Amino acid sequence: MKISQVAQKYGLSIDTVRYYEKAGLIDPVAKNESGRKVYQEKEMRRINFIKCMRQAGMSIENIKMYVDLFHEGLDTIPERKTILENQLKKLMHQQEELDNQIGFLEDKIANYEQTLVKREKARKEIENI
Amino acid sequence: MKISQVAQKYGLSIDTVRYYEKAGLIDPVAKNESGRKVYQEKEMRRINFIKCMRQAGMSIENIKMYVDLFHEGLDTIPERKTILENQLKKLMHQQEELDNQIGFLEDKIANYEQTLVKREKARKEIENI
DNA sequence: ATTTGACATGGAGTCGACTCCATTTGATAA
DNA sequence: TTATCAAATGGAGTCGACTCCATGTCAAAT
């Protein structure tokens, strides 16, 4: 597959795909006779993984660490697991904060609701004079 | 109150407080004879509001819009409410995504767990030869 | 009298994750 | 054959929200 197709398939820009390679998240991609990169199954799976991790809020730096550990073989599984667990902790913390923030906004909106109702009532009373 | 105290009180840096004024989120703060800014009740409440909104993930730009509407008086209450409602929608969407991401990571971690258990079992079997 | 410290101001720098640009090259369509 | 395209590369630019820096001022401490 060529880069434009890969980008299309994973909903990334061509630049982003190249950027991931520059950043060392994807191993150097082999090229055909005319110098164009040809993405194989292996690269595709890697890109899919990166995409998932990015969606899970993991930084490029952390994905890089993870990928580097992956290269070192099976013995690094515990370390890789730790990276994932830390990310999970981060997300769960974010979830708590999000809940608070949602509560805060709901209150504030309810407050405005009240104010609007009161203003409307006041307006009607004036009309009734 | 002077700026250092305000920053302290709200857990912001002095630079951040100044930045909020530069950005128009706080009205120009009056100064004493020697040219130092003196923060009054009004500014404090505004800073507290900004802090809450930032925590609720609202952008500086949107807070600015909100503040500008506030200056225009009570008639803008519906518009202000809309801004809050949009922010709420955004947060609720983030919440959904976060839930998915957490599920994804949990699965991936469980997977590793499995792998580790299997490897351990295999190791023990070898020992038993 | 001078050093120290808090503050003011305008503008530059930072960070992460892209995104864009200029230039070059090879392949294909007209 | 020449124009058009897709792609490669290195490096610059972008964005938001700060954060830092140089310089200057004023007041209190030494």
Side-chain angles (χ1 to χ4, degrees):
Chain A
M1 259 199 177
K2 49 189 200 171
I3 196 163
S4 57
Q5 295 171 312
V6 174
Q8 165 80 23
K9 181 169 164 105
Y10 292 99
L12 300 170
S13 78
I14 292 178
D15 273 318
T16 298
V17 176
R18 284 202 267 252
Y19 165 70
Y20 288 160
E21 189 179 343
K22 264 190 208 175
L25 306 189
I26 307 168
D27 305 337
V29 179
K31 297 175 194 168
N32 63 16
E33 328 73 46
S34 50
R36 305 291 165 86
K37 290 176 177 172
V38 179
Y39 292 77
Q40 313 282 41
E41 188 61 23
K42 184 188 149 223
E43 279 88 27
M44 313 284 275
R45 268 188 291 110
R46 180 66 63 81
I47 286 167
N48 188 50
F49 170 79
I50 296 168
K51 213 202 160 189
C52 290
M53 288 317 191
R54 289 292 301 130
Q55 275 174 351
M58 193 177 284
S59 69
I60 297 293
E61 189 184 354
N62 268 231
I63 298 175
K64 173 80 165 92
M65 285 177 51
Y66 189 100
V67 165
D68 287 348
L69 287 170
F70 178 77
H71 282 138
E72 289 177 39
L74 293 172
D75 292 343
T76 64
I77 286 181
E79 283 179 77
R80 292 187 238 159
K81 189 161 155 269
T82 302
I83 291 182
L84 297 185
E85 283 164 349
N86 287 338
Q87 186 62 25
L88 180 57
K89 269 182 217 152
K90 245 172 64 181
L91 293 193
M92 289 172 73
H93 182 237
Q94 277 179 35
Q95 202 179 34
E96 273 180 49
E97 295 206 326
L98 210 45
D99 285 348
N100 292 336
Q101 293 153 11
I102 285 172
F104 169 77
L105 278 181
E106 280 171 347
D107 286 358
K108 199 131 181 102
I109 289 166
N111 222 313
Y112 267 135
E113 204 81 53
Q114 273 300 93
T115 310
L116 286 175
V117 170
K118 275 189 210 147
R119 288 193 84 203
E120 183 61 8
K121 239 178 85 185
R123 201 181 58 72
K124 285 212 177 123
E125 276 166 19
I126 288 166
E127 271 175 4
N128 285 339
I129 287 173
Chain B
M1 259 200 176
K2 48 191 201 170
I3 195 164
S4 58
Q5 296 171 312
V6 173
Q8 165 80 22
K9 181 169 164 106
Y10 292 100
L12 301 169
S13 77
I14 291 179
D15 273 319
T16 299
V17 175
R18 284 202 268 252
Y19 166 69
Y20 288 160
E21 189 180 342
K22 264 191 207 174
L25 306 190
I26 306 168
D27 306 336
V29 180
K31 297 175 194 167
N32 64 15
E33 327 74 47
S34 50
R36 303 305 167 73
K37 288 176 177 173
V38 179
Y39 293 78
Q40 312 283 41
E41 189 60 25
K42 183 187 151 223
E43 280 88 26
M44 313 284 276
R45 269 188 288 108
R46 180 67 64 78
I47 286 167
N48 187 50
F49 170 78
I50 296 168
K51 212 202 160 189
C52 290
M53 288 317 195
R54 289 293 301 131
Q55 275 174 353
M58 191 178 284
S59 68
I60 296 293
E61 189 183 356
N62 269 230
I63 298 175
K64 173 81 165 93
M65 284 177 54
Y66 189 100
V67 165
D68 287 348
L69 287 172
F70 177 78
H71 282 137
E72 289 178 36
L74 294 171
D75 291 345
T76 65
I77 286 182
E79 282 178 78
R80 290 187 238 162
K81 189 160 155 268
T82 301
I83 292 182
L84 297 184
E85 282 165 349
N86 287 338
Q87 186 62 25
L88 179 58
K89 270 184 215 150
K90 245 172 66 182
L91 293 192
M92 289 172 74
H93 182 238
Q94 277 179 33
Q95 201 179 34
E96 272 179 49
E97 295 205 326
L98 210 45
D99 285 349
N100 291 335
Q101 293 154 9
I102 285 173
F104 170 77
L105 278 181
E106 280 171 347
D107 287 358
K108 200 132 182 104
I109 290 167
N111 223 313
Y112 266 136
E113 203 81 55
Q114 274 301 94
T115 309
L116 285 175
V117 170
K118 274 188 209 147
R119 290 192 83 204
E120 182 62 8
K121 239 177 86 187
R123 202 181 56 73
K124 287 213 177 121
E125 277 165 17
I126 288 167
E127 272 174 4
N128 286 340
I129 286 171

